[in-house]
Amino acid sequence: MIVTMYQEQAPFPVYCRDCWYGDGWDPMDYGVEIDWSQPFLSQWAELYKKVPKLALWQKGSNTNCLYANNVYDSKNCYLSYSVVEAEDILYSENIDFGRYIMDSWLCISSELVYENQGSRQFNSKFILQSNDCIDSAFLFDCANCQSCFMSCNLRNKKYVFRNQQLTKESYEKAIATENLSSRKKLDGLRKEWKGLIKGAIHKYSRVVASVNSTGNFVRNAKNTRDSFQIHDIENVAYSMRGLDFKDCMDIYATAHGELIYEGMSCSSGVYGNFFSLNCNDTNNIFYTAHCQSGSNLFGSVGLRKKDYVILNKQFTKEEYNELVPKIKQHMLDMPYIDKKGRIYSFGEFFPIEFSPFGYNETLANEFFALSEAKATQKGFNFYNHKDKSYAPTMTTEEIPDTISETSPGILKQTIPCRHAPNGKAECNQLCTTAFKVTEDEYSFYKRMNIPVPELCPNCRHYERVSFFFEPPKLYSGECMCDSATHDHEGKCKNQFKTPYAPGRPEKLYCESCYNKEIY
């Protein structure tokens, strides 16, 4: 039995990791001759349906990550996605170089954090868009702070309580009265935190230590345009989620690569990858998927250590170099036309109707949710998941208020999600209707003094995304600063690109006004 990202009705075989990387099959056995009477992408689609797929995208050396996807050189990851060189990660997404992280999103070099979003922290919880804070809780846009609580826009501070400076003794006394171990208390603090965030000063975008760059959640970037959730990159445009790549455009989920165009999940030393999917250590490839350690590939699937291959069929270097220009011209002369009449010629990524996933299973649904009717109208697949039939062994009201009141017996319980009191979800957040607490999760709660939650992991994730993060999209904005102490008369006239949509309540400042106000 295996855990896989693919539906049971997927058109291709799905293998576990050992079998896929093993010698029991040869992807070259599926090779086909080029048919010049058919669109090339039609031939590729037929090949894609036949070649076995790896159950989960896990790259490098991973240990105990059976229930995690898109993981690279990581250890002890559970129900997490897009994790790079991290360990002990629970229910989290987009984690790089971290340890002991739970219910978090987009964290870099963090340790011992809970509900940490777009931040880099240590031993902290409920932190949003902050960096290098220690032993703190409920912060927004803070940096290099220690022992701070329910505050925003702080820099280099200690013992700040609700944006008021206290002595160490006064702070410790005040924080003790908050009882952060109580779920009932945390519910009220979350609401207060949300109000604090809305009333704080917001930088127009989270572009940090970057030159000539636009986007959101961009760090250590140079010459980067309209990109999101990336760091340590150069000369990049219209890309999302990745690190350590340059000279790339229109890519998603990439690390350690160069010269990639229209690619997804291509990592580990890739160079010159075009219109490709989930390829590693490859160079000079076109329209290729799930290939490892190869070069000069065109329209191939599932290859390992192969060169000069077209549609999984071997050619000599001379034959390959002669055929590739002809295939490119053939794709221009006879493009693929999908069911909606959209044309895919050479230079376009794979048609969306080739995807084995439903729109509601993808990351796009987190930010741009569509009903089944609208999704299918646009030509996307859509999968209705089977109704759950879990039998909870306790009620939500029976969950202890604090972790100190919770015994190890909770590990044997099936807990109903608060969004599904009658066994059926009352939300649109892929609710699992019920959940269990794992042993690692229980240990984390004990260590961080956090109560067992009332929501299933999916509902917790979607609530984070829906409140704290803007879709990967930019709008034209203007600075809202009207401070008489800054270098402008009346309201500042600086304009910028921002992820905050027009009409949002947050007070946005340009880089200059933000720095003058905060620092």
Side-chain angles (χ1 to χ4, degrees):
M1 299 299 294
I2 59 173
V3 176
T4 175
M5 71 181 98
Y6 299 108
Q7 294 275 348
E8 289 182 351
Q9 61 266 43
F12 39 72
V14 179
Y15 287 1
C16 71
R17 183 178 178 85
D18 289 343
C19 288
W20 196 85
Y21 280 104
D23 297 327
W25 70 289
D26 186 353
M28 298 293 283
D29 291 342
Y30 299 88
V32 295
E33 298 284 351
I34 303 169
D35 183 353
W36 301 101
S37 68
Q38 297 292 327
F40 185 84
L41 286 178
S42 296
Q43 301 170 62
W44 182 89
E46 291 304 311
L47 176 66
Y48 187 78
K49 291 177 183 177
K50 297 175 182 177
V51 179
K53 304 298 182 295
L54 182 59
L56 295 170
W57 293 357
Q58 296 192 353
K59 305 166 187 178
S61 176
N62 298 289
T63 304
N64 191 27
C65 295
L66 179 62
Y67 298 92
N69 201 15
N70 218 2
V71 177
Y72 179 87
D73 279 351
S74 295
K75 180 179 179 180
N76 301 334
C77 299
Y78 182 74
L79 291 185
S80 296
Y81 176 81
S82 192
V83 180
V84 177
E85 297 181 36
E87 60 180 286
D88 300 305
I89 311 298
L90 303 167
Y91 311 115
S92 297
E93 180 182 327
N94 296 355
I95 309 297
D96 298 338
F97 321 121
R99 190 179 183 194
Y100 296 121
I101 296 172
M102 180 172 174
D103 279 357
S104 296
W105 185 89
L106 197 62
C107 299
I108 303 173
S109 303
S110 295
E111 185 171 349
L112 271 177
V113 294
Y114 177 75
E115 289 283 3
N116 182 22
Q117 297 103 36
S119 301
R120 183 176 62 209
Q121 316 297 330
F122 176 79
N123 193 34
S124 297
K125 46 197 171 187
F126 303 103
I127 309 290
L128 179 63
Q129 297 167 29
S130 301
N131 288 303
D132 304 315
C133 296
I134 302 173
D135 302 334
S136 298
F138 293 104
L139 300 184
F140 169 72
D141 185 41
C142 295
N144 196 29
C145 294
Q146 183 175 349
S147 301
C148 293
F149 173 79
M150 197 63 73
S151 298
C152 61
N153 303 136
L154 300 179
R155 296 296 183 272
N156 309 314
K157 298 292 185 181
K158 293 179 68 174
Y159 309 121
V160 175
F161 185 88
R162 291 192 166 92
N163 275 84
Q164 297 294 318
Q165 182 66 63
L166 302 179
T167 64
K168 178 182 177 181
E169 293 74 17
S170 298
Y171 177 86
E172 291 175 347
K173 184 177 180 180
I175 199 70
T177 64
E178 292 300 327
N179 191 15
L180 300 183
S181 63
S182 166
R183 184 186 308 101
K184 295 176 182 177
K185 183 68 174 180
L186 285 178
D187 287 343
L189 291 173
R190 281 192 181 98
K191 293 178 181 178
E192 181 182 352
W193 187 38
K194 291 179 180 181
L196 174 81
I197 293 168
K198 287 184 177 180
I201 293 174
H202 290 241
K203 185 180 176 182
Y204 73 99
S205 188
R206 296 94 180 178
V207 179
V208 179
S210 300
V211 178
N212 190 30
S213 298
T214 59
N216 197 23
F217 293 110
V218 176
R219 176 184 292 274
N220 294 337
K222 181 180 180 181
N223 302 329
T224 295
R225 181 174 182 179
D226 298 5
S227 296
F228 304 84
Q229 303 167 26
I230 54 180
H231 58 95
D232 303 311
I233 50 97
E234 182 177 355
N235 301 334
V236 171
Y238 314 119
S239 298
M240 181 172 171
R241 178 58 185 141
L243 66 147
D244 186 27
F245 57 92
K246 66 178 181 177
D247 301 325
C248 298
M249 181 173 173
D250 291 349
I251 62 174
Y252 170 78
T254 293
H256 317 307
E258 187 174 350
L259 284 177
I260 309 168
Y261 177 65
E262 290 280 4
M264 176 180 173
S265 194
C266 295
S267 303
S268 303
V270 295
Y271 182 93
N273 281 18
F274 305 95
F275 325 110
S276 296
L277 167 68
N278 190 33
C279 293
N280 301 310
D281 191 25
T282 51
N283 65 83
N284 194 29
I285 67 172
F286 295 82
Y287 294 101
T288 291
H290 312 297
C291 291
Q292 321 287 319
S293 303
S295 66
N296 298 292
L297 310 174
F298 203 111
S300 294
V301 182
L303 303 179
R304 287 164 285 171
K305 299 181 179 180
K306 295 293 182 180
D307 304 314
Y308 304 109
V309 178
I310 300 172
L311 292 176
N312 284 36
K313 195 169 183 63
Q314 185 70 61
F315 293 89
T316 65
K317 178 180 178 180
E318 293 73 20
E319 290 171 333
Y320 179 89
N321 290 333
E322 181 180 349
L323 280 170
V324 165
K326 294 181 180 179
I327 296 173
K328 293 179 180 179
Q329 187 60 49
H330 177 66
M331 294 177 71
L332 294 171
D333 296 338
M334 188 183 291
Y336 179 86
I337 302 176
D338 73 2
K339 297 174 183 177
K340 292 292 181 179
R342 292 173 291 211
I343 297 174
Y344 294 83
S345 60
F346 179 77
E348 298 290 339
F349 195 67
F350 299 112
I352 191 66
E353 65 186 25
F354 289 2
S355 173
F357 305 107
Y359 183 88
N360 53 324
E361 296 180 302
T362 68
L363 295 177
N365 194 56
E366 292 186 356
F367 297 110
F368 308 103
L370 293 177
S371 65
E372 181 176 2
K374 289 185 178 180
T376 53
Q377 182 183 15
K378 292 178 179 291
F380 303 142
N381 298 323
F382 198 95
Y383 290 128
N384 288 308
H385 295 268
K386 297 177 182 178
D387 289 339
K388 312 297 183 186
S389 57
Y390 299 123
T393 56
M394 64 187 303
T395 64
T396 300
E397 291 73 20
E398 291 176 318
I399 304 174
D401 185 52
T402 65
I403 191 64
S404 61
E405 300 171 314
T406 306
S407 71
I410 194 76
L411 302 177
K412 299 179 181 180
Q413 303 289 344
T414 300
I415 305 171
C417 178
R418 181 161 49 83
H419 286 177
N422 300 311
K424 189 171 180 62
E426 297 178 352
C427 67
N428 188 29
Q429 298 175 338
L430 299 180
C431 178
T432 62
T433 72
F435 63 98
K436 285 193 171 186
V437 176
T438 68
E439 187 171 348
D440 288 342
E441 183 180 354
Y442 179 71
S443 298
F444 185 92
Y445 293 142
K446 295 281 284 186
R447 185 170 184 175
M448 296 291 288
N449 198 20
I450 297 168
V452 172
E454 296 178 325
L455 296 178
C456 73
N458 279 0
C459 290
R460 301 200 302 267
H461 172 75
Y462 272 84
E463 290 212 339
R464 278 194 300 276
V465 171
S466 63
F467 178 79
F468 292 120
F469 297 107
E470 303 78 26
K473 185 176 180 179
L474 295 177
Y475 306 86
S476 296
E478 187 174 284
C479 184
M480 299 180 181
C481 176
D482 56 4
S483 174
T485 62
H486 294 174
D487 298 331
H488 53 77
E489 294 183 5
K491 185 175 175 293
C492 179
K493 301 299 183 182
N494 283 343
Q495 296 182 342
F496 41 66
K497 280 186 164 184
T498 177
Y500 293 88
R504 288 276 297 261
E506 293 87 356
K507 192 172 184 179
L508 302 184
Y509 278 25
C510 67
E511 180 102 25
S512 175
C513 292
Y514 174 85
N515 289 339
K516 289 183 176 70
E517 189 73 21
I518 302 303
Y519 292 96

